[in-house]
Amino acid sequence: MKKNFKKLILLPVLLAGIFIGTVSFKSDFFEIAKQIEIFTTLFKEINMNYVDDTNPAQLMDSAIKSMLTDLDPYTNYWNEQDVEAARINNSGEYTGIGAAVKNGATGITIVEAYKDYPADKAGLKAGDLITKIGDIRVSDFKEDAGELLNGASETAVEITFVRQGKEQKTSLKRESVDLSAVPFYKLLEDNTGYIVLSRFNAKASTEVSRALKELKNQGAEKIILDLRGNPGGLLSEAINVSNIFVPANELIVTTRSAIEKYNKDYYTQREPIDTKIPLVVLVNGRSASASEIVAGAMQDLDRGVIVGARSFGKGLVQRPRELAYGTQLKITISRYYTPSGRCIQALDYRRRDENGRAVRTKVEDYNEFNTRNGRKVYDGGGILPDVKLETSEFGDITQALILQDAIFNYATEYYYSHKVEDLKDFDFNDADFQEFKVYLKGSGFNYVTATEKELEELIATSEEENLELKFEASGIRSQLEQHEKQELELRKPEIISLLKDEIIKRYFYKEGLYEYYTVNNPEISKAKEILNSENKYAEILK
């Protein structure tokens, strides 16, 4: 391994040249060159003298990624595999098994098998844990094992997976996978057109335009654009999607940076499809980036009513920069501002708390802006809907359930213990919710409140200082457990909504979930209520 050092050490030297060439105009030029030289010599000493063999490429990868964590979560180093994954995400096309997956320590979990693609045809289900791909054990594979699932069209791959504790095998053939930006659209019974936009890839505006035209041909007189759960994507497509509903030469977003060339005003450039049709845009806490650009523009221009919950709050713009050997740096280059002048970035990565976490902008620090009609809107924390619904909002305990896969894992258990043959027969009632709470007790779910963290820190400090606490810690813990139960009940509407989403997908795919939404979803019901009342719609936008 060490004999390759001379070749590998060229990377930091090359980086030094790049940095010196690109930042020589800065006053801290000498400091940058000094730190790169220190790092280069440190890297050499580790590689030459460490007690065991080292992996220079892996060390460098870790060093770069650790350095970037001090900036923000969106400035990332992409190796060749990451670059290809980004290309797939932006294009919506790749060749593989047709499934969303998540890497873990013991294997790859199927998150969703896309309908009628190889994984689905082979019988793979959400919750299946892939442990071997061909002869390669996933847990032994040091790189992104998910890449092994992709390959040339019509090539076969054998998969070993675990389902409900039992190991099984299946074989499938890879094929071209085309991920739609608009996976569903439908004309509802009151002449409302419903369009789901799930990602801002290169096809987003084309597919939204096509869906809108078809719905209008079918008789649509008003539109619901669903951006819930849409994580964003291409800035250009956010502008083009906005352009569908607003005229050409309308300001949609502005980017501002410390670097002059990244300061730019983005205007619509095409002829719109319909600037008058009544519009409701649905957002929630997982609507981010490009979704917020569209929602923010529609709100600031008073073009549509925003319904749901406050969006994620990502007001930072990234751009990929080419590096050596097919790698890239995805770097935050600017902040974006909505037409009224708002930057909706929620976390300030320039300010950190005592634990090194970015500080969230406080509500009292929000700044007031005005829409075109003079309505008050605010910056600092995502797009605040014109109409808020509790089923769209995610509390702390709900976020914990999502992050720890409690809802996902329960949906897997539910699928194998309940028979649902018709979507119309599906219901998730109070008794089911009680079963979910029982499941949580034995699932290892751990919800730690800020109070619990402070309690544990206080106990640890008192033990270090040999102090006897004046209170009974176990009694407080008991009260906190009771608080957790209360939190589950308090957040019951949003938790049930998420449970329904995950369970329905197991039986009827995402297409079935969207079909269910059109009849049973509270956000869509509220959107229809607003659109079906000209006075209410006008009053909100007045």
Side-chain angles (χ1 to χ4, degrees), residues 64-339:
I64 293 172
K65 290 179 177 178
S66 295
M67 174 180 67
L68 296 180
T69 57
D70 277 348
L71 300 177
D72 62 57
Y74 314 112
T75 297
N76 297 312
Y77 167 68
W78 284 348
N79 57 32
E80 297 94 324
Q81 291 80 20
D82 297 328
V83 171
E84 176 62 13
R87 186 199 65 76
I88 290 170
N89 188 52
N90 287 336
S91 68
E93 299 175 358
Y94 71 101
T95 303
I97 69 169
V101 300
K102 183 172 68 173
N103 289 306
T106 58
I108 300 170
T109 301
I110 299 288
V111 175
E112 179 187 359
Y114 303 137
K115 187 177 181 181
D116 295 331
Y117 281 111
D120 181 41
K121 294 174 185 176
L124 290 174
K125 303 289 184 183
D128 289 347
L129 180 69
I130 298 175
T131 55
K132 287 180 69 177
I133 302 171
D135 295 327
I136 299 175
R137 186 164 293 279
V138 173
S139 59
D140 296 336
F141 197 74
K142 301 303 181 186
E143 316 251 336
D144 181 2
E147 291 298 316
L148 297 173
L149 296 172
N150 298 332
S153 184
E154 295 301 311
T155 56
V157 58
E158 187 170 281
I159 290 172
T160 303
F161 64 96
V162 176
R163 174 184 295 169
Q164 298 288 284
K166 297 180 180 179
E167 187 173 274
Q168 302 182 45
K169 291 186 177 181
T170 188
S171 183
L172 49 80
K173 283 189 176 181
R174 302 177 178 94
E175 64 180 66
S176 179
V177 179
D178 185 3
L179 299 177
S180 297
V182 176
F184 184 89
Y185 63 92
K186 182 180 180 179
L187 181 68
L188 308 184
E189 73 286 345
D190 60 351
N191 288 335
T192 298
Y194 174 57
I195 303 173
V196 178
L197 177 55
S198 62
R199 54 175 58 85
F200 282 86
N201 61 23
K203 301 181 289 187
S205 60
T206 300
E207 292 188 15
V208 173
S209 296
R210 184 187 304 122
L212 178 60
K213 290 175 182 177
E214 289 189 21
L215 289 169
K216 289 186 66 175
N217 288 337
Q218 295 171 22
E221 298 172 352
K222 47 233 179 218
I223 293 294
I224 300 171
L225 179 63
D226 194 343
L227 298 180
R228 290 175 297 175
N230 186 321
L234 299 174
L235 172 65
S236 58
E237 283 302 287
I239 297 159
N240 292 337
V241 168
S242 300
N243 199 172
I244 292 170
F245 301 101
V246 300
N249 301 315
E250 192 76 73
L251 178 65
I252 298 300
V253 65
T254 298
T255 59
R256 290 290 178 262
S257 171
I259 301 170
E260 184 64 30
K261 67 179 179 178
Y262 295 138
N263 294 338
K264 188 172 181 180
D265 298 332
Y266 292 87
Y267 291 84
T268 52
Q269 298 180 347
R270 305 174 180 177
E271 285 304 309
I273 294 177
D274 196 323
T275 62
K276 301 296 183 183
I277 192 167
L279 173 68
V280 165
V281 180
L282 303 182
V283 296
N284 63 12
R286 292 179 292 175
S287 305
S289 192
S291 295
E292 295 174 293
I293 289 175
V294 173
M298 296 303 101
Q299 188 175 55
D300 283 1
L301 300 174
D302 296 303
R303 177 60 188 86
V305 174
I306 314 300
V307 172
R310 186 183 289 278
S311 62
F312 183 81
K314 180 179 179 291
L316 303 176
V317 181
Q318 287 73 46
R319 178 174 294 178
R321 305 288 294 180
E322 299 291 336
L323 302 177
Y325 302 106
T327 63
Q328 287 185 3
L329 171 66
K330 185 177 72 120
I331 183 171
T332 299
I333 60 168
S334 58
R335 292 178 177 82
Y336 75 74
Y337 297 80
T338 67

